[in-house]
Amino acid sequence: MLIRTSADLGAVIRDRRKRLKLDQASLAKRIGVSRQWVIEVEHGHARAELGLVLRALDALDIRLDASTEQTKSRGSEKPAVDINAIVAKAKKSKT
Amino acid sequence: MLIRTSADLGAVIRDRRKRLKLDQASLAKRIGVSRQWVIEVEHGHARAELGLVLRALDALDIRLDASTEQTKSRGSEKPAVDINAIVAKAKKSKT
DNA sequence: CACTTATGTAGCCGAACGGCGACATTTTAT
DNA sequence: ATAAAATGTCGCCGTTCGGCTACATAAGTG
């Protein structure tokens, strides 16, 4: 699943937890956090600590992959040549 | 790339930033955080806020994928039947 | 119905976050 | 070598984290 927001993450975690037939308390113990933490994260708490979240994913055997392959381009992406640098140089050596 | 730790995340972010020829200040502005935040995260700050990290990945067009497909099994994984529940019930109706 | 379990909520607390400004250090370019 | 930019470090500060205890609802079972 594609992760965009903390809510996505929370959903993934909750689904996986249920699939593994774990209750929040057990999962919390596995991860080493409080039960409330699990609750908040499953609800999409955006300000949770990155490290704890990663531990949670590990405890649930969820793989996280980062890739730069993108389907939707959003304007200028990978300029084969760094136009900016060229322009900058051009500006400097004006005369 | 597989993300296990915050250091992995930091490396991915830094690589991608350089690949995009951005300096930390510009990236920070894109994400909406301070320049120091970028520094710390690139260094693997484990306690960074999840939401900000996700914003960073988005700003760099890095896709995050969560999957439960795993190569290395680590003990008991997907018990087809929930033995625990069964045992629990058995214990209860002991007589 | 009464009983157990799971989940969610509230307040208190120490600790750390992240922003800010200023400075030190490293790297890059001329 | 000189200048400029990029990167990293340091306090200060308001805000929030995450753990804790206790309580409040669901949700399921006899």
Side-chain angles (χ1 to χ4, degrees):
Chain A
M1 163 149 191
L2 207 170
I3 304 298
R4 290 181 186 287
T5 73
S6 47
D8 295 340
L9 222 308
V12 168
I13 290 179
R14 162 156 285 186
D15 286 357
R16 180 67 173 158
R17 173 175 66 79
K18 293 206 164 177
R19 224 168 170 303
L20 255 38
K21 300 247 190 278
L22 288 172
D23 57 36
Q24 297 172 334
S26 321
L27 176 57
K29 208 158 107 186
R30 268 205 201 186
I31 306 174
V33 296
S34 69
R35 188 170 60 86
Q36 287 85 344
W37 185 89
V38 174
I39 295 176
E40 298 206 341
V41 168
E42 287 190 352
H43 283 217
H45 186 40
R47 314 193 59 168
E49 288 186 11
L50 174 61
L52 298 182
V53 172
L54 292 177
R55 290 232 302 268
L57 296 178
D58 187 61
L60 292 170
D61 281 307
I62 298 175
R63 264 178 55 113
L64 250 202
D65 268 286
S67 59
T68 59
E69 317 287 346
Q70 67 221 349
T71 314
K72 57 147 195 179
S73 84
R74 180 221 289 163
S76 57
E77 289 298 339
K78 266 192 283 176
V81 284
D82 33 317
I83 301 166
N84 291 338
I86 296 175
V87 173
K89 281 204 174 184
K91 266 203 250 179
K92 278 197 171 179
S93 55
K94 185 165 28 191
T95 303
Chain B
M1 161 143 192
L2 208 170
I3 304 297
R4 291 180 184 287
T5 73
S6 48
D8 295 340
L9 223 308
V12 169
I13 290 178
R14 161 156 286 184
D15 286 358
R16 181 67 173 158
R17 174 176 64 80
K18 293 205 164 176
R19 224 168 171 308
L20 256 39
K21 300 246 190 279
L22 287 172
D23 57 40
Q24 297 172 334
S26 320
L27 175 57
K29 207 158 111 186
R30 269 203 200 186
I31 306 173
V33 297
S34 68
R35 189 170 59 84
Q36 287 87 340
W37 185 90
V38 174
I39 295 175
E40 298 207 342
V41 168
E42 287 192 353
H43 284 219
H45 187 37
R47 316 191 59 166
E49 288 185 12
L50 174 62
L52 298 181
V53 172
L54 291 176
R55 290 232 303 268
L57 296 179
D58 187 62
L60 292 169
D61 281 306
I62 297 176
R63 265 178 53 113
L64 249 202
D65 268 287
S67 60
T68 59
E69 317 287 348
Q70 66 223 346
T71 315
K72 57 148 193 179
S73 84
R74 182 220 289 162
S76 58
E77 290 297 340
K78 265 191 280 172
V81 285
D82 33 319
I83 301 167
N84 290 340
I86 296 174
V87 173
K89 282 205 174 185
K91 267 201 249 181
K92 278 195 172 179
S93 54
K94 183 164 31 190
T95 304

mmCIF file of all heavy atoms in Angstrom, chain A residues 40-87:
data_model
loop_
_atom_site.group_PDB
_atom_site.id
_atom_site.type_symbol
_atom_site.label_atom_id
_atom_site.label_comp_id
_atom_site.label_asym_id
_atom_site.label_seq_id
_atom_site.Cartn_x
_atom_site.Cartn_y
_atom_site.Cartn_z
ATOM 1 N N GLU A 40 -3.425 6.074 19.460
ATOM 2 C CA GLU A 40 -3.256 7.333 18.743
ATOM 3 C C GLU A 40 -2.669 7.121 17.354
ATOM 4 O O GLU A 40 -3.111 7.738 16.382
ATOM 5 C CB GLU A 40 -2.357 8.262 19.550
ATOM 6 C CG GLU A 40 -2.959 8.614 20.905
ATOM 7 C CD GLU A 40 -2.453 9.942 21.410
ATOM 8 O OE1 GLU A 40 -1.412 10.391 20.915
ATOM 9 O OE2 GLU A 40 -3.108 10.523 22.296
ATOM 10 N N VAL A 41 -1.681 6.274 17.263
ATOM 11 C CA VAL A 41 -1.053 6.049 15.959
ATOM 12 C C VAL A 41 -2.045 5.415 14.992
ATOM 13 O O VAL A 41 -2.124 5.798 13.827
ATOM 14 C CB VAL A 41 0.197 5.164 16.118
ATOM 15 C CG1 VAL A 41 0.675 4.693 14.763
ATOM 16 C CG2 VAL A 41 1.296 5.939 16.821
ATOM 17 N N GLU A 42 -2.820 4.463 15.487
ATOM 18 C CA GLU A 42 -3.800 3.827 14.605
ATOM 19 C C GLU A 42 -4.824 4.844 14.134
ATOM 20 O O GLU A 42 -5.420 4.677 13.078
ATOM 21 C CB GLU A 42 -4.488 2.673 15.342
ATOM 22 C CG GLU A 42 -3.590 1.463 15.514
ATOM 23 C CD GLU A 42 -4.359 0.243 16.016
ATOM 24 O OE1 GLU A 42 -5.544 0.393 16.371
ATOM 25 O OE2 GLU A 42 -3.759 -0.853 16.062
ATOM 26 N N HIS A 43 -5.003 5.869 14.929
ATOM 27 C CA HIS A 43 -5.950 6.910 14.536
ATOM 28 C C HIS A 43 -5.292 7.959 13.651
ATOM 29 O O HIS A 43 -5.923 8.955 13.289
ATOM 30 C CB HIS A 43 -6.534 7.569 15.776
ATOM 31 C CG HIS A 43 -7.576 6.728 16.451
ATOM 32 N ND1 HIS A 43 -8.695 7.249 17.044
ATOM 33 C CD2 HIS A 43 -7.673 5.390 16.599
ATOM 34 C CE1 HIS A 43 -9.428 6.277 17.542
ATOM 35 N NE2 HIS A 43 -8.827 5.130 17.293
ATOM 36 N N GLY A 44 -4.014 7.773 13.363
ATOM 37 C CA GLY A 44 -3.355 8.674 12.430
ATOM 38 C C GLY A 44 -2.629 9.843 13.053
ATOM 39 O O GLY A 44 -2.457 10.882 12.415
ATOM 40 N N HIS A 45 -2.208 9.641 14.273
ATOM 41 C CA HIS A 45 -1.491 10.711 14.958
ATOM 42 C C HIS A 45 -0.261 11.149 14.151
ATOM 43 O O HIS A 45 0.688 10.405 13.975
ATOM 44 C CB HIS A 45 -1.061 10.216 16.334
ATOM 45 C CG HIS A 45 -0.434 11.276 17.174
ATOM 46 N ND1 HIS A 45 -0.886 12.574 17.216
ATOM 47 C CD2 HIS A 45 0.615 11.248 18.019
ATOM 48 C CE1 HIS A 45 -0.151 13.272 18.034
ATOM 49 N NE2 HIS A 45 0.768 12.492 18.533
ATOM 50 N N ALA A 46 -0.296 12.399 13.689
ATOM 51 C CA ALA A 46 0.745 12.864 12.765
ATOM 52 C C ALA A 46 2.052 13.189 13.481
ATOM 53 O O ALA A 46 3.105 13.250 12.854
ATOM 54 C CB ALA A 46 0.253 14.089 12.010
ATOM 55 N N ARG A 47 1.986 13.397 14.772
ATOM 56 C CA ARG A 47 3.201 13.854 15.444
ATOM 57 C C ARG A 47 3.876 12.761 16.244
ATOM 58 O O ARG A 47 4.661 13.025 17.157
ATOM 59 C CB ARG A 47 2.865 15.044 16.337
ATOM 60 C CG ARG A 47 1.978 16.050 15.605
ATOM 61 C CD ARG A 47 1.882 17.336 16.329
ATOM 62 N NE ARG A 47 3.200 17.950 16.501
ATOM 63 C CZ ARG A 47 3.376 19.193 16.894
ATOM 64 N NH1 ARG A 47 2.345 19.945 17.156
ATOM 65 N NH2 ARG A 47 4.579 19.682 17.047
ATOM 66 N N ALA A 48 3.581 11.552 15.902
ATOM 67 C CA ALA A 48 4.237 10.434 16.573
ATOM 68 C C ALA A 48 5.712 10.413 16.204
ATOM 69 O O ALA A 48 6.115 10.934 15.162
ATOM 70 C CB ALA A 48 3.578 9.126 16.158
ATOM 71 N N GLU A 49 6.502 9.809 17.056
ATOM 72 C CA GLU A 49 7.934 9.738 16.804
ATOM 73 C C GLU A 49 8.238 8.722 15.703
ATOM 74 O O GLU A 49 7.749 7.595 15.736
ATOM 75 C CB GLU A 49 8.677 9.313 18.070
ATOM 76 C CG GLU A 49 8.725 10.378 19.123
ATOM 77 C CD GLU A 49 9.601 9.954 20.283
ATOM 78 O OE1 GLU A 49 10.314 8.941 20.149
ATOM 79 O OE2 GLU A 49 9.574 10.631 21.314
ATOM 80 N N LEU A 50 9.076 9.166 14.789
ATOM 81 C CA LEU A 50 9.457 8.308 13.671
ATOM 82 C C LEU A 50 10.014 6.967 14.138
ATOM 83 O O LEU A 50 9.605 5.912 13.650
ATOM 84 C CB LEU A 50 10.501 9.030 12.820
ATOM 85 C CG LEU A 50 11.117 8.233 11.687
ATOM 86 C CD1 LEU A 50 10.058 7.808 10.709
ATOM 87 C CD2 LEU A 50 12.199 9.043 11.010
ATOM 88 N N GLY A 51 10.898 6.997 15.101
ATOM 89 C CA GLY A 51 11.538 5.770 15.563
ATOM 90 C C GLY A 51 10.537 4.756 16.094
ATOM 91 O O GLY A 51 10.624 3.567 15.779
ATOM 92 N N LEU A 52 9.580 5.239 16.872
ATOM 93 C CA LEU A 52 8.589 4.325 17.431
ATOM 94 C C LEU A 52 7.727 3.739 16.320
ATOM 95 O O LEU A 52 7.386 2.550 16.347
ATOM 96 C CB LEU A 52 7.716 5.066 18.448
ATOM 97 C CG LEU A 52 8.477 5.617 19.661
ATOM 98 C CD1 LEU A 52 7.517 6.290 20.625
ATOM 99 C CD2 LEU A 52 9.241 4.504 20.354
ATOM 100 N N VAL A 53 7.391 4.546 15.357
ATOM 101 C CA VAL A 53 6.584 4.063 14.243
ATOM 102 C C VAL A 53 7.328 2.954 13.504
ATOM 103 O O VAL A 53 6.745 1.911 13.168
ATOM 104 C CB VAL A 53 6.253 5.217 13.274
ATOM 105 C CG1 VAL A 53 5.585 4.682 12.020
ATOM 106 C CG2 VAL A 53 5.368 6.239 13.953
ATOM 107 N N LEU A 54 8.609 3.162 13.283
ATOM 108 C CA LEU A 54 9.395 2.147 12.588
ATOM 109 C C LEU A 54 9.444 0.865 13.413
ATOM 110 O O LEU A 54 9.350 -0.239 12.877
ATOM 111 C CB LEU A 54 10.803 2.679 12.323
ATOM 112 C CG LEU A 54 10.876 3.815 11.303
ATOM 113 C CD1 LEU A 54 12.287 4.333 11.160
ATOM 114 C CD2 LEU A 54 10.339 3.345 9.961
ATOM 115 N N ARG A 55 9.555 1.020 14.722
ATOM 116 C CA ARG A 55 9.548 -0.161 15.577
ATOM 117 C C ARG A 55 8.222 -0.889 15.456
ATOM 118 O O ARG A 55 8.167 -2.135 15.426
ATOM 119 C CB ARG A 55 9.762 0.251 17.042
ATOM 120 C CG ARG A 55 11.158 0.746 17.337
ATOM 121 C CD ARG A 55 11.790 0.031 18.537
ATOM 122 N NE ARG A 55 11.009 0.162 19.752
ATOM 123 C CZ ARG A 55 11.176 1.126 20.654
ATOM 124 N NH1 ARG A 55 12.098 2.044 20.468
ATOM 125 N NH2 ARG A 55 10.454 1.160 21.739
ATOM 126 N N ALA A 56 7.153 -0.127 15.373
ATOM 127 C CA ALA A 56 5.830 -0.730 15.239
ATOM 128 C C ALA A 56 5.745 -1.548 13.956
ATOM 129 O O ALA A 56 5.287 -2.700 13.961
ATOM 130 C CB ALA A 56 4.754 0.356 15.250
ATOM 131 N N LEU A 57 6.200 -0.967 12.874
ATOM 132 C CA LEU A 57 6.155 -1.666 11.594
ATOM 133 C C LEU A 57 6.986 -2.936 11.669
ATOM 134 O O LEU A 57 6.592 -3.983 11.156
ATOM 135 C CB LEU A 57 6.676 -0.751 10.476
ATOM 136 C CG LEU A 57 5.827 0.493 10.234
ATOM 137 C CD1 LEU A 57 6.449 1.350 9.141
ATOM 138 C CD2 LEU A 57 4.409 0.109 9.876
ATOM 139 N N ASP A 58 8.103 -2.847 12.313
ATOM 140 C CA ASP A 58 8.963 -4.018 12.443
ATOM 141 C C ASP A 58 8.269 -5.096 13.266
ATOM 142 O O ASP A 58 8.301 -6.273 12.923
ATOM 143 C CB ASP A 58 10.278 -3.620 13.093
ATOM 144 C CG ASP A 58 11.274 -4.758 13.108
ATOM 145 O OD1 ASP A 58 11.631 -5.217 12.021
ATOM 146 O OD2 ASP A 58 11.656 -5.200 14.205
ATOM 147 N N ALA A 59 7.636 -4.670 14.343
ATOM 148 C CA ALA A 59 6.963 -5.621 15.218
ATOM 149 C C ALA A 59 5.837 -6.341 14.473
ATOM 150 O O ALA A 59 5.472 -7.459 14.831
ATOM 151 C CB ALA A 59 6.413 -4.886 16.434
ATOM 152 N N LEU A 60 5.324 -5.700 13.459
ATOM 153 C CA LEU A 60 4.219 -6.283 12.697
ATOM 154 C C LEU A 60 4.697 -6.893 11.388
ATOM 155 O O LEU A 60 3.891 -7.327 10.564
ATOM 156 C CB LEU A 60 3.167 -5.214 12.413
ATOM 157 C CG LEU A 60 2.411 -4.716 13.638
ATOM 158 C CD1 LEU A 60 1.586 -3.495 13.297
ATOM 159 C CD2 LEU A 60 1.522 -5.819 14.191
ATOM 160 N N ASP A 61 6.005 -6.896 11.210
ATOM 161 C CA ASP A 61 6.578 -7.433 9.974
ATOM 162 C C ASP A 61 5.998 -6.767 8.740
ATOM 163 O O ASP A 61 5.549 -7.413 7.795
ATOM 164 C CB ASP A 61 6.353 -8.949 9.891
ATOM 165 C CG ASP A 61 7.347 -9.692 10.753
ATOM 166 O OD1 ASP A 61 8.547 -9.455 10.583
ATOM 167 O OD2 ASP A 61 6.905 -10.482 11.613
ATOM 168 N N ILE A 62 6.009 -5.472 8.799
ATOM 169 C CA ILE A 62 5.577 -4.689 7.640
ATOM 170 C C ILE A 62 6.816 -4.064 7.012
ATOM 171 O O ILE A 62 7.591 -3.401 7.703
ATOM 172 C CB ILE A 62 4.596 -3.570 8.049
ATOM 173 C CG1 ILE A 62 3.338 -4.179 8.660
ATOM 174 C CG2 ILE A 62 4.259 -2.691 6.859
ATOM 175 C CD1 ILE A 62 2.383 -3.144 9.194
ATOM 176 N N ARG A 63 6.988 -4.311 5.735
ATOM 177 C CA ARG A 63 8.139 -3.758 5.023
ATOM 178 C C ARG A 63 7.828 -2.367 4.528
ATOM 179 O O ARG A 63 6.752 -2.098 4.030
ATOM 180 C CB ARG A 63 8.485 -4.632 3.823
ATOM 181 C CG ARG A 63 9.570 -5.648 4.085
ATOM 182 C CD ARG A 63 9.778 -6.462 2.832
ATOM 183 N NE ARG A 63 10.061 -5.566 1.700
ATOM 184 C CZ ARG A 63 11.237 -5.534 1.079
ATOM 185 N NH1 ARG A 63 12.201 -6.326 1.487
ATOM 186 N NH2 ARG A 63 11.437 -4.726 0.071
ATOM 187 N N LEU A 64 8.816 -1.485 4.631
ATOM 188 C CA LEU A 64 8.657 -0.129 4.118
ATOM 189 C C LEU A 64 9.654 0.082 2.997
ATOM 190 O O LEU A 64 10.858 -0.132 3.182
ATOM 191 C CB LEU A 64 8.918 0.887 5.228
ATOM 192 C CG LEU A 64 7.736 1.680 5.758
ATOM 193 C CD1 LEU A 64 8.232 2.953 6.422
ATOM 194 C CD2 LEU A 64 6.752 2.000 4.662
ATOM 195 N N ASP A 65 9.147 0.491 1.848
ATOM 196 C CA ASP A 65 10.036 0.732 0.718
ATOM 197 C C ASP A 65 9.922 2.157 0.225
ATOM 198 O O ASP A 65 8.831 2.695 0.087
ATOM 199 C CB ASP A 65 9.690 -0.231 -0.420
ATOM 200 C CG ASP A 65 10.511 -1.498 -0.327
ATOM 201 O OD1 ASP A 65 11.705 -1.412 -0.642
ATOM 202 O OD2 ASP A 65 9.954 -2.537 0.091
ATOM 203 N N ALA A 66 11.068 2.744 -0.031
ATOM 204 C CA ALA A 66 11.112 4.099 -0.575
ATOM 205 C C ALA A 66 11.611 4.033 -2.006
ATOM 206 O O ALA A 66 12.639 3.426 -2.275
ATOM 207 C CB ALA A 66 12.047 4.970 0.261
ATOM 208 N N SER A 67 10.847 4.641 -2.896
ATOM 209 C CA SER A 67 11.256 4.639 -4.297
ATOM 210 C C SER A 67 11.007 6.004 -4.914
ATOM 211 O O SER A 67 10.112 6.731 -4.481
ATOM 212 C CB SER A 67 10.470 3.580 -5.063
ATOM 213 O OG SER A 67 9.089 3.850 -4.972
ATOM 214 N N THR A 68 11.792 6.314 -5.914
ATOM 215 C CA THR A 68 11.629 7.619 -6.553
ATOM 216 C C THR A 68 10.865 7.497 -7.860
ATOM 217 O O THR A 68 10.662 8.467 -8.556
ATOM 218 C CB THR A 68 12.997 8.257 -6.825
ATOM 219 O OG1 THR A 68 13.727 7.382 -7.668
ATOM 220 C CG2 THR A 68 13.750 8.452 -5.546
ATOM 221 N N GLU A 69 10.471 6.285 -8.161
ATOM 222 C CA GLU A 69 9.637 6.092 -9.352
ATOM 223 C C GLU A 69 8.294 6.733 -9.070
ATOM 224 O O GLU A 69 7.643 6.410 -8.091
ATOM 225 C CB GLU A 69 9.419 4.586 -9.588
ATOM 226 C CG GLU A 69 10.651 3.759 -9.405
ATOM 227 C CD GLU A 69 11.612 3.944 -10.549
ATOM 228 O OE1 GLU A 69 11.176 4.504 -11.559
ATOM 229 O OE2 GLU A 69 12.778 3.543 -10.427
ATOM 230 N N GLN A 70 7.898 7.603 -9.947
ATOM 231 C CA GLN A 70 6.611 8.247 -9.697
ATOM 232 C C GLN A 70 5.719 8.158 -10.908
ATOM 233 O O GLN A 70 6.168 8.204 -12.042
ATOM 234 C CB GLN A 70 6.822 9.705 -9.336
ATOM 235 C CG GLN A 70 7.352 10.491 -10.501
ATOM 236 C CD GLN A 70 8.416 11.441 -10.045
ATOM 237 O OE1 GLN A 70 8.609 11.642 -8.865
ATOM 238 N NE2 GLN A 70 9.099 12.044 -10.976
ATOM 239 N N THR A 71 4.430 8.039 -10.626
ATOM 240 C CA THR A 71 3.450 7.942 -11.696
ATOM 241 C C THR A 71 2.999 9.326 -12.134
ATOM 242 O O THR A 71 2.939 9.653 -13.286
ATOM 243 C CB THR A 71 2.213 7.155 -11.226
ATOM 244 O OG1 THR A 71 2.668 5.999 -10.552
ATOM 245 C CG2 THR A 71 1.351 6.766 -12.399
ATOM 246 N N LYS A 72 2.717 10.141 -11.142
ATOM 247 C CA LYS A 72 2.241 11.494 -11.445
ATOM 248 C C LYS A 72 3.388 12.456 -11.299
ATOM 249 O O LYS A 72 3.934 12.628 -10.238
ATOM 250 C CB LYS A 72 1.131 11.868 -10.466
ATOM 251 C CG LYS A 72 1.576 11.784 -9.014
ATOM 252 C CD LYS A 72 0.892 12.822 -8.143
ATOM 253 C CE LYS A 72 1.599 12.960 -6.805
ATOM 254 N NZ LYS A 72 1.013 13.955 -5.946
ATOM 255 N N SER A 73 3.745 13.062 -12.429
ATOM 256 C CA SER A 73 4.805 14.075 -12.356
ATOM 257 C C SER A 73 4.164 15.375 -11.907
ATOM 258 O O SER A 73 3.018 15.664 -12.208
ATOM 259 C CB SER A 73 5.464 14.235 -13.710
ATOM 260 O OG SER A 73 4.708 15.124 -14.505
ATOM 261 N N ARG A 74 4.911 16.117 -11.149
ATOM 262 C CA ARG A 74 4.366 17.360 -10.620
ATOM 263 C C ARG A 74 5.257 18.507 -11.049
ATOM 264 O O ARG A 74 5.909 19.131 -10.246
ATOM 265 C CB ARG A 74 4.303 17.287 -9.102
ATOM 266 C CG ARG A 74 3.741 18.550 -8.503
ATOM 267 C CD ARG A 74 4.505 18.899 -7.290
ATOM 268 N NE ARG A 74 4.205 17.952 -6.210
ATOM 269 C CZ ARG A 74 4.966 17.819 -5.162
ATOM 270 N NH1 ARG A 74 6.054 18.524 -5.044
ATOM 271 N NH2 ARG A 74 4.660 16.947 -4.222
ATOM 272 N N GLY A 75 5.259 18.789 -12.367
ATOM 273 C CA GLY A 75 6.038 19.913 -12.853
ATOM 274 C C GLY A 75 7.442 19.480 -13.221
ATOM 275 O O GLY A 75 7.620 18.414 -13.790
ATOM 276 N N SER A 76 8.428 20.295 -12.899
ATOM 277 C CA SER A 76 9.806 19.983 -13.281
ATOM 278 C C SER A 76 10.396 19.011 -12.276
ATOM 279 O O SER A 76 10.412 19.260 -11.094
ATOM 280 C CB SER A 76 10.630 21.262 -13.318
ATOM 281 O OG SER A 76 10.567 21.900 -12.069
ATOM 282 N N GLU A 77 10.858 17.898 -12.756
ATOM 283 C CA GLU A 77 11.366 16.882 -11.858
ATOM 284 C C GLU A 77 12.861 16.703 -11.941
ATOM 285 O O GLU A 77 13.611 17.294 -11.207
ATOM 286 C CB GLU A 77 10.686 15.548 -12.196
ATOM 287 C CG GLU A 77 9.253 15.546 -11.784
ATOM 288 C CD GLU A 77 9.128 15.704 -10.291
ATOM 289 O OE1 GLU A 77 10.095 15.429 -9.579
ATOM 290 O OE2 GLU A 77 8.058 16.130 -9.836
ATOM 291 N N LYS A 78 13.259 15.859 -12.899
ATOM 292 C CA LYS A 78 14.672 15.552 -13.034
ATOM 293 C C LYS A 78 15.248 16.268 -14.244
ATOM 294 O O LYS A 78 15.307 15.696 -15.317
ATOM 295 C CB LYS A 78 14.862 14.036 -13.218
ATOM 296 C CG LYS A 78 15.124 13.298 -11.930
ATOM 297 C CD LYS A 78 15.584 11.890 -12.214
ATOM 298 C CE LYS A 78 14.413 11.026 -12.613
ATOM 299 N NZ LYS A 78 14.825 9.676 -12.997
ATOM 300 N N PRO A 79 15.661 17.491 -14.095
ATOM 301 C CA PRO A 79 16.263 18.182 -15.221
ATOM 302 C C PRO A 79 17.588 17.502 -15.555
ATOM 303 O O PRO A 79 18.506 17.465 -14.742
ATOM 304 C CB PRO A 79 16.495 19.606 -14.707
ATOM 305 C CG PRO A 79 16.472 19.492 -13.218
ATOM 306 C CD PRO A 79 15.644 18.298 -12.884
ATOM 307 N N ALA A 80 17.656 16.951 -16.763
ATOM 308 C CA ALA A 80 18.852 16.226 -17.180
ATOM 309 C C ALA A 80 20.075 17.102 -16.979
ATOM 310 O O ALA A 80 21.107 16.651 -16.493
ATOM 311 C CB ALA A 80 18.720 15.816 -18.636
ATOM 312 N N VAL A 81 19.940 18.350 -17.330
ATOM 313 C CA VAL A 81 21.021 19.308 -17.078
ATOM 314 C C VAL A 81 20.531 20.304 -16.051
ATOM 315 O O VAL A 81 19.354 20.672 -16.031
ATOM 316 C CB VAL A 81 21.410 20.050 -18.367
ATOM 317 C CG1 VAL A 81 22.230 19.148 -19.265
ATOM 318 C CG2 VAL A 81 20.193 20.551 -19.068
ATOM 319 N N ASP A 82 21.413 20.737 -15.180
ATOM 320 C CA ASP A 82 21.024 21.669 -14.133
ATOM 321 C C ASP A 82 20.991 23.082 -14.697
ATOM 322 O O ASP A 82 21.946 23.843 -14.606
ATOM 323 C CB ASP A 82 21.966 21.583 -12.945
ATOM 324 C CG ASP A 82 23.363 21.244 -13.395
ATOM 325 O OD1 ASP A 82 23.498 20.368 -14.263
ATOM 326 O OD2 ASP A 82 24.306 21.862 -12.898
ATOM 327 N N ILE A 83 19.842 23.382 -15.244
ATOM 328 C CA ILE A 83 19.646 24.688 -15.878
ATOM 329 C C ILE A 83 19.944 25.829 -14.914
ATOM 330 O O ILE A 83 20.549 26.832 -15.272
ATOM 331 C CB ILE A 83 18.193 24.800 -16.379
ATOM 332 C CG1 ILE A 83 17.934 23.667 -17.368
ATOM 333 C CG2 ILE A 83 17.959 26.152 -17.012
ATOM 334 C CD1 ILE A 83 16.485 23.465 -17.678
ATOM 335 N N ASN A 84 19.512 25.640 -13.690
ATOM 336 C CA ASN A 84 19.720 26.690 -12.691
ATOM 337 C C ASN A 84 21.175 27.111 -12.612
ATOM 338 O O ASN A 84 21.502 28.293 -12.629
ATOM 339 C CB ASN A 84 19.255 26.197 -11.324
ATOM 340 C CG ASN A 84 17.754 26.055 -11.292
ATOM 341 O OD1 ASN A 84 17.058 26.683 -12.102
ATOM 342 N ND2 ASN A 84 17.248 25.242 -10.379
ATOM 343 N N ALA A 85 22.024 26.110 -12.510
ATOM 344 C CA ALA A 85 23.449 26.404 -12.390
ATOM 345 C C ALA A 85 23.940 27.173 -13.613
ATOM 346 O O ALA A 85 24.665 28.165 -13.493
ATOM 347 C CB ALA A 85 24.227 25.104 -12.228
ATOM 348 N N ILE A 86 23.496 26.724 -14.765
ATOM 349 C CA ILE A 86 23.912 27.373 -16.001
ATOM 350 C C ILE A 86 23.466 28.824 -16.035
ATOM 351 O O ILE A 86 24.246 29.729 -16.305
ATOM 352 C CB ILE A 86 23.324 26.615 -17.216
ATOM 353 C CG1 ILE A 86 23.914 25.208 -17.272
ATOM 354 C CG2 ILE A 86 23.617 27.379 -18.494
ATOM 355 C CD1 ILE A 86 23.313 24.343 -18.354
ATOM 356 N N VAL A 87 22.217 29.018 -15.710
ATOM 357 C CA VAL A 87 21.689 30.381 -15.691
ATOM 358 C C VAL A 87 22.466 31.241 -14.712
ATOM 359 O O VAL A 87 22.827 32.383 -14.997
ATOM 360 C CB VAL A 87 20.199 30.379 -15.314
ATOM 361 C CG1 VAL A 87 19.707 31.799 -15.132
ATOM 362 C CG2 VAL A 87 19.400 29.651 -16.391
#
